[in-house]
Amino acid sequence: MKEKNNRLEALRLIISSQQLGSQDELLNALQKEGFKLTQATLSRDLKQLKVAKAATMSGNYIYVLPNDTMYKRISTPSNIKEMMQVPGFVSINFSGNMGVIKTRPGYASAIAWNIDSSDIPAIIGTIAGDDTIFIVIKEGVKQQEVIEALNAVIPNMR
């Protein structure tokens, strides 16, 4: 059981730190870490961890973990800007300390990830669907302040 727990932890860390889009890539990454397993075992592990695939801004699909703050992806500003070359943002609307960002289909998860990994102090957190992102804003923060902060993450935002 300890072997499985170690393997699942390694899998979480690999998914959270690399952009991998196939089980072969995941198997290779796990093998580099010293884990020997079959594709069937990997599939069961992915199911147990509730791993999904999400679209990146470039249109590729990568494995992502459920919204678990311990395993947030570590990003660099150059990667965010590169990913944001393809516009996915459509609109933003506010109601009180909540906001709704509309995106092109398949873009919400990637944009929400960029928002979360940017650690914008005015935003408490996000929840992403396929083409919609729900954001919770700290009490007392003005909408214009949120828009200005998001402009750094979503350059094509108007």
Side-chain angles (χ1 to χ4, degrees):
M1 194 63 157
K2 184 174 177 144
E3 171 73 17
K4 180 178 180 181
N5 289 338
N6 289 342
R7 184 179 69 241
L8 292 175
E9 182 67 15
L11 187 55
R12 283 185 192 101
L13 293 171
I14 288 167
I15 291 171
S16 68
S17 64
Q18 300 177 40
Q19 292 192 359
L20 303 176
S22 73
Q23 288 192 4
D24 282 340
E25 291 174 326
L26 284 173
L27 279 172
N28 288 336
L30 284 166
Q31 287 172 351
K32 286 180 185 174
E33 297 299 321
F35 295 96
K36 306 244 184 279
L37 65 152
T38 65
Q39 183 273 329
T41 300
L42 177 59
S43 289
R44 286 189 294 273
D45 288 351
L46 292 173
K47 185 175 180 179
Q48 180 178 345
L49 295 174
K50 296 179 175 40
V51 171
K53 278 196 165 182
T56 65
M57 296 309 296
S58 62
N60 297 324
Y61 284 85
I62 60 169
Y63 287 103
V64 293
L65 293 164
N67 288 338
D68 185 346
T69 55
M70 182 174 169
Y71 297 104
K72 274 189 184 171
R73 287 187 187 279
I74 299 166
S75 64
T76 61
S78 62
N79 286 343
I80 290 173
K81 290 192 187 307
E82 183 180 303
M83 286 173 52
M84 296 306 293
Q85 294 302 314
V86 178
F89 172 82
V90 174
S91 67
I92 185 167
N93 288 293
F94 296 94
S95 178
N97 71 325
M98 298 175 288
V100 174
I101 298 173
K102 295 301 264 178
T103 71
R104 290 179 33 208
Y107 281 76
S109 179
I111 292 174
W113 174 79
N114 287 337
I115 293 167
D116 289 340
S117 65
S118 295
D119 292 323
I120 298 170
I123 297 176
I124 295 172
T126 65
I127 300 173
D130 182 56
D131 63 355
T132 306
I133 304 167
F134 174 76
I135 61 174
V136 178
I137 302 158
K138 284 188 178 174
E139 294 282 339
V141 174
K142 294 184 180 355
Q143 294 173 2
Q144 188 58 39
E145 186 180 335
V146 174
I147 290 171
E148 288 170 9
L150 288 172
N151 274 324
V153 179
I154 309 170
N156 55 346
M157 195 172 123
R158 290 177 185 81

